[in-house]
Amino acid sequence: MCIRDSINAEYGELPHHGHMGALDQLLHTEPLGSRLPEVQAAWDALTAGFEQMAHNGGLTPEVIQMLRGMPLDQTPESFRDRCHVTKFEVEVRGSSWSDSRQDGLIRLVLQVADGRGQMAVWVVRPNNLNPTPQPAQLWFHGGGFVCGSAASFLNACCQRAFNNSTVLVAPDVGVAPEITAEHWLKNAVLTHDWVIQHSSEIGVDTSKLATSGESAGGFTSLGLCMRLAEQGRADELRLFVSDIGAFDSDFLDAATPEDEADPMHRACSLLQRQALGLLLGTSDPAELESHKTDPSLFPAQMPPELLDLLPPTVLMTSEFDHVGKRCNERFAARLAPHGKLAGLYVQPGVGHGMYTCLLYTSDAADEEDSVDLGGRRIIKKKKRRKY
């Protein structure tokens, strides 16, 4: 089972008895109550990093620059050999930015001269797909809203495209503070429209489009779904998959970061507030608080009538996810009554962006014992035999 299967399923079959609806009986999602030994060191390091940055003032310009220089993609390069990758430049008006290369990394640079720029869009096509139009997923990268690019996640893009047998389109919609939420989501819609307009050129079946995203990319994907629903175009997407997505204002429920009851959330609360402030274009905590229910900044706050229009939705997070667990659980509870929740899967024993023995790639997988979502293979829960 993969994203391709779910795109191909009849819309009416989801989420109750179609491909995705059965997954709640296949995935091992019971909490472990403790972190797996394989990820404990990584989780401790991430928590300590959050706390150290907060102690030193949080997301200062120096810290943002440092984060932008860090490698984010740990996916094996071998997947690059299995796909054909093409870079396109898409004209952007209003949000006005482009990319430039510096030390082999992508840096996003404002273009202010005429309000126009070029947005890099990467199209990844597995070599084993036939040349006819194929199902596609529009994938958005993570990076805490302040770093990352499609180019910096190309290995992961190739893995996701190959494992799911889809064309994958990954745009550089921007990073904060250079790009604010308004233009960020405009760039997401622009990319979606570009895919439809150039479907013949890139070999995409526009009747079988999905969107997916990781961390901040979950915000972008859900924001795209929301904008299309607002425009009466919700049926242009067949599926939405979010992995460790950050798209709600749950971290603003506490008056201050120090008031967070859970130490896990307390560790990253200041950074979340600062990152979303940069996305909003403000450093004023009171102004950020005033946008707590603003769906342009927090798409999970969209009005109920738009929830009715969303595509079937799969939400994935982790038991010890600093950023996404609480907001995904909250959004799942809000989404379920509208019949659009295909599944909420909380991976046990791991944290934000941490995947261990529960997840492995399709070339090493037993198809009878696993399912594949978002380019990662997840082991099925073993059922005890009756004798």
Side-chain angles (χ1 to χ4, degrees):
M1 208 303 299
C2 67
I3 285 179
R4 182 189 180 95
D5 297 326
S6 303
I7 297 173
N8 286 335
E10 289 299 321
Y11 186 94
E13 294 179 354
L14 301 171
H16 303 294
H17 57 275
H19 292 284
M20 304 301 294
L23 284 181
D24 59 347
Q25 299 173 5
L26 300 180
L27 298 186
H28 178 193
T29 58
E30 292 90 341
L32 295 181
S34 61
R35 287 172 287 282
L36 292 171
E38 303 96 297
V39 305
Q40 185 64 58
W43 193 88
D44 289 342
L46 181 63
T47 302
F50 286 153
E51 292 173 342
Q52 184 65 36
M53 282 190 285
H55 178 75
N56 292 332
L59 294 176
T60 64
E62 293 77 18
V63 167
I64 292 174
Q65 186 63 24
M66 180 267 296
L67 293 173
R68 291 184 183 180
M70 294 176 62
L72 299 174
D73 189 356
Q74 305 299 319
T75 309
E77 292 186 6
S78 59
F79 284 94
R80 294 287 290 271
D81 298 330
R82 306 180 188 186
C83 300
H84 179 73
V85 180
T86 307
K87 179 183 178 182
F88 295 85
E89 297 285 353
V90 180
E91 182 175 317
V92 181
R93 298 175 182 269
S95 45
S96 63
W97 63 275
S98 66
D99 65 35
S100 65
R101 289 191 176 275
Q102 178 181 332
D103 301 327
L105 298 172
I106 294 294
R107 297 283 188 261
L108 299 176
V109 182
L110 277 175
Q111 298 287 315
V112 296
D114 60 1
R116 297 168 63 177
Q118 298 293 318
M119 178 170 63
V121 176
W122 300 83
V123 177
V124 179
R125 188 182 186 90
N127 296 332
N128 59 1
L129 290 186
N130 67 52
T132 60
Q134 296 293 313
Q137 56 176 309
L138 182 53
W139 182 80
F140 298 98
H141 67 81
F145 296 99
V146 299
C147 64
S149 66
S152 66
F153 283 97
L154 276 183
N155 290 342
C157 289
C158 291
Q159 182 188 42
R160 290 170 182 273
F162 181 82
N163 282 356
N164 288 286
S165 299
T166 62
V167 177
L168 184 144
V169 180
D172 283 335
V173 295
V175 291
E178 290 89 338
I179 305 299
T180 57
E182 175 188 2
H183 293 306
W184 188 299
L185 295 185
K186 283 182 179 179
N187 288 344
V189 175
L190 182 148
T191 308
H192 172 81
D193 293 344
W194 180 87
V195 169
I196 293 177
Q197 293 164 9
H198 293 79
S199 58
S200 297
E201 179 182 358
I202 62 177
V204 165
D205 182 347
T206 57
S207 71
K208 297 178 179 178
L209 292 179
T211 185
S212 59
E214 181 177 81
S215 194
F219 159 89
T220 316
S221 288
L222 182 57
L224 170 63
C225 293
M226 177 181 70
R227 289 289 186 248
L228 292 179
E230 290 172 342
Q231 298 170 17
R233 304 165 57 197
D235 59 353
E236 293 179 9
L237 290 172
R238 297 293 302 276
L239 180 72
F240 163 48
V241 178
S242 173
D243 187 9
I244 56 174
F247 39 63
D248 206 352
S249 58
D250 53 289
F251 60 91
L252 292 177
D253 288 349
T256 68
E258 293 74 21
D259 292 325
E260 282 277 12
D262 189 328
M264 179 176 76
H265 295 301
R266 193 182 312 137
C268 69
S269 178
L270 175 64
L271 303 181
Q272 284 185 282
R273 292 165 188 254
Q274 291 178 331
L276 271 296
L278 292 171
L279 191 62
L280 179 62
T282 183
S283 58
D284 182 358
E287 184 173 358
L288 177 64
E289 175 69 29
S290 71
H291 286 265
K292 183 176 179 180
T293 60
D294 180 1
S296 296
L297 192 62
F298 302 109
Q301 295 291 321
M302 72 180 77
E305 59 269 23
L306 294 184
L307 295 177
D308 289 331
L309 302 176
L310 293 183
T313 296
V314 178
L315 302 176
M316 297 188 294
T317 182
S318 304
E319 184 178 1
F320 298 99
D321 182 356
H322 298 76
V323 178
K325 181 175 185 289
R326 184 171 58 188
C327 84
N328 276 269
E329 290 177 334
R330 181 178 298 189
F331 186 53
R334 187 163 184 250
L335 191 59
H338 296 266
K340 299 298 183 178
L341 181 65
L344 167 67
Y345 307 111
V346 182
Q347 298 172 28
V350 298
H352 192 77
M354 301 172 190
Y355 307 96
T356 61
C357 60
L358 295 179
L359 304 138
Y360 50 97
T361 58
S362 58
D363 56 347
D366 177 356
E367 292 293 341
E368 296 301 317
D369 293 327
S370 61
V371 294
D372 188 3
L373 279 176
R376 295 190 174 90
R377 190 159 291 279
I378 305 176
I379 296 175
K380 292 180 184 178
K381 179 181 178 182
K382 299 291 186 180
K383 294 184 178 181
R384 182 177 298 177
R385 289 186 178 181
K386 294 182 180 180
Y387 295 95

